[in-house]
Amino acid sequence: MRRVSILGATGSIGQNTIDLIARAPDAYDVVALTGAGNIDRLAIDAIRLKADVAVTANPECLGALKDALAGSDVTAAAGPQALIEAASRPADWVMSAIVGAAGLAPGLAALEQGATLALANKESLVCAGRLVMQTATTHGGRILPVDSEHSAVFQALVGEAMEAVERIVITASGGAFRDWPIEKLAHATPAQATTHPNWAMGARITVDSASMFNKALELIETREFFGVDPDRIETVIHPESLIHALVGFRDGALMAHVGPPDMRHAIGYALHWPERQDLPVARLDLAQIGTLTFRAPDPARYPALDLARQVMARGGLAGAVFNGAKERALDAFLDGHIRFTAMAEVVARVLDRIEGQPGLMDAEMTLDNVLAADLAARAAADAEIAALAGQARTGS
Ligand code: NDP
Ligand code: MG
């Protein structure tokens, strides 16, 4: 039996992972499941899958979790340290599907115990790519990409030499507002931004999809995971979301990965790697699809893409600053404090502001320094958000 743990088990990726694992209960020994606020879901799945431990990130939820697990053999725990402890429990395969920079430390803990890390939490690579990749190498662990584009690239590279790769093209749906007049974007509401045209995902990544901050994170993720120069990574809008990525080789060949927009494909590939096994995903009828379309992203509509290029050129801890600022700007948009279009403005200003704080972005890439850069970015973002909200109130 393979020992598996799922970090972020109550989320969209976590639930899709559980869907696959629950289909073959005899094949898996579930070690740890983690969540945050969704205690009922966490407890139901932990009992159903006979997990050893269920952990909520929220200390104030420990009592509720204990109550929900009463009478079962599942141990309850809570808090960030308990998450790390759960990730450190020996397991063969760990799904990293916590949302945000909060997934970094537990993911590193899983790698330190030598597990194969199925990585959905792209923020880990954006904030601390070199550290994450090095931790895997040092401890003999392996990272398998779960982000659909990166899984697609990974699959297109099987049997190929990296020297033969000329370029990597990751596709983007263009998000909820891809066809809106650009001047309307400032008035987009959280409810509109959390509705995706093709994919069913968590609310945060759905908004990031509309702003293309998600693609910006994925550009950086591509660079960190595959070690390619930023000028060899492209992104193209592909509204049908059926081609997830393409790899271009030196002979001009482009290898595309085509599949339905169902995350169980990428999760299942990482779960069964290096084999392929049956997956309950739809099979595409190409004749019925008929046409696949592509278009270049408009930089004015999607300023996040340029910001990602700046971050890659800057290097150091700029990725952690970028992500921290983005997370706070996203919170502020979801809470109704800033406009949709202000998110990119906040992130750009934070990058400038932190550049002016000597040493922060050039500190050595350790977990502590990455978390410090993340905190500094969040504080700077909060200041920028307050200033913007103030301007909006006074009408200036
Ligand atoms: P969800 O918001 O659906 O789920 C997030 C998970 O993280 C939940 O289990 C949530 O718990 C938990 N969580 C939230 N905050 C914290 C915290 N501070 N500490 C610990 N755990 C926390 O997100 P998704 O499943 O959509 O995304 C997860 C990750 O995978 C993200 O990094 C995302 O970018 C990436 N990803 C997602 C894709 C998708 O299709 N959804 C596609 C590609 C990548 P609870 O719900 O109990 O509060
Ligand atoms: Mg993706």
Side-chain angles (χ1 to χ4, degrees):
M1 289 230 282
R2 282 174 84 199
R3 296 166 303 171
V4 301
S5 290
I6 305 172
L7 313 175
T10 50
S12 171
I13 293 285
Q15 289 293 298
N16 276 307
T17 308
I18 286 176
D19 176 74
L20 294 180
I21 283 175
R23 287 166 195 264
D26 298 339
Y28 303 104
D29 174 9
V30 177
V31 179
L33 297 184
T34 83
N38 196 344
I39 297 303
D40 290 345
R41 186 75 264 155
L42 180 61
I44 288 167
D45 287 334
I47 294 169
R48 175 165 76 107
L49 298 175
K50 302 189 176 67
D52 297 341
V53 59
V55 185
T56 163
N58 305 345
E60 67 278 11
C61 293
L62 181 59
L65 182 60
K66 281 186 171 162
D67 288 348
L69 292 171
S72 76
D73 293 331
V74 186
T75 307
Q81 202 49 45
L83 284 182
I84 293 175
E85 192 275 329
S88 307
R89 290 191 177 215
D92 303 303
W93 189 90
V94 177
M95 167 55 76
S96 164
I98 290 171
V99 64
L104 174 60
L108 286 172
L111 285 171
E112 280 165 9
Q113 54 98 351
T116 290
L117 191 70
L119 188 67
N121 177 262
K122 60 192 83 184
E123 296 89 344
S124 302
L125 286 178
V126 172
C127 294
R130 206 158 4 96
L131 176 64
V132 172
M133 299 306 282
Q134 265 170 15
T135 304
T137 310
T138 308
H139 297 275
R142 177 179 285 280
I143 303 175
L144 298 171
V146 171
D147 212 346
S148 58
E149 298 76 5
H150 305 76
S151 173
V153 172
F154 190 70
Q155 295 181 50
L157 285 172
V158 170
E160 305 285 355
M162 280 311 287
E163 297 75 52
V165 174
E166 204 168 58
R167 61 183 175 140
I168 291 177
V169 185
I170 58 173
T171 59
S173 70
F177 309 136
R178 63 190 174 206
D179 299 319
W180 279 32
I182 204 161
E183 57 284 358
K184 236 185 101 184
L185 291 180
H187 306 289
T189 65
Q192 290 165 327
T194 44
T195 308
H196 197 280
N198 305 339
W199 293 90
M201 309 186 286
R204 301 181 70 84
I205 186 175
T206 304
V207 178
D208 283 349
S209 185
S211 62
M212 275 226 200
F213 264 110
N214 181 47
K215 215 47 55 180
L217 297 176
E218 289 180 356
L219 285 171
I220 304 172
E221 183 186 10
T222 305
R223 171 179 166 67
E224 298 299 330
F225 190 84
F226 298 103
V228 283
D229 288 343
D231 58 6
R232 288 172 183 264
I233 311 169
E234 301 167 21
T235 181
V236 66
I237 293 185
H238 167 48
E240 296 84 6
S241 294
L242 296 176
I243 295 185
H244 305 302
L246 307 95
V247 179
F249 293 94
R250 63 196 299 173
D251 59 358
L254 265 179
M255 301 296 285
H257 180 283
V258 192
D262 184 334
M263 285 309 295
R264 290 176 305 176
H265 191 110
I267 297 167
Y269 187 78
L271 183 62
H272 300 305
W273 182 89
E275 290 172 13
R276 284 188 187 271
Q277 292 195 9
D278 295 350
L279 288 177
V281 299
R283 272 48 177 171
L284 294 181
D285 179 338
L286 294 175
Q288 197 183 10
I289 292 161
T291 314
L292 296 178
T293 58
F294 304 92
R295 60 186 194 237
D298 171 5
R301 184 181 289 271
Y302 301 113
L305 295 179
D306 258 0
L307 291 172
R309 300 266 173 209
Q310 286 172 35
V311 165
M312 289 191 283
R314 174 61 180 78
L317 300 185
V321 172
F322 177 69
N323 181 70
K326 192 280 295 178
E327 289 196 33
R328 292 304 289 154
L330 175 58
D331 290 336
F333 168 67
L334 288 171
D335 292 343
H337 300 314
I338 59 170
R339 290 171 183 250
F340 180 77
T341 42
M343 288 190 287
E345 216 172 304
V346 167
V347 174
R349 288 185 189 194
V350 170
L351 284 166
D352 280 350
R353 206 189 248 246
I354 301 277
E355 195 65 90
Q357 297 180 14
L360 230 165
M361 284 216 259
D362 292 310
E364 192 193 340
M365 192 179 277
T366 60
L367 179 59
D368 284 349
N369 288 342
V370 169
L371 296 180
D374 172 74
L375 273 183
R378 285 167 197 263
D382 287 347
E384 296 293 348
I385 289 161
L388 277 173
Q391 275 172 23
R393 269 196 303 278
T394 58
S396 56

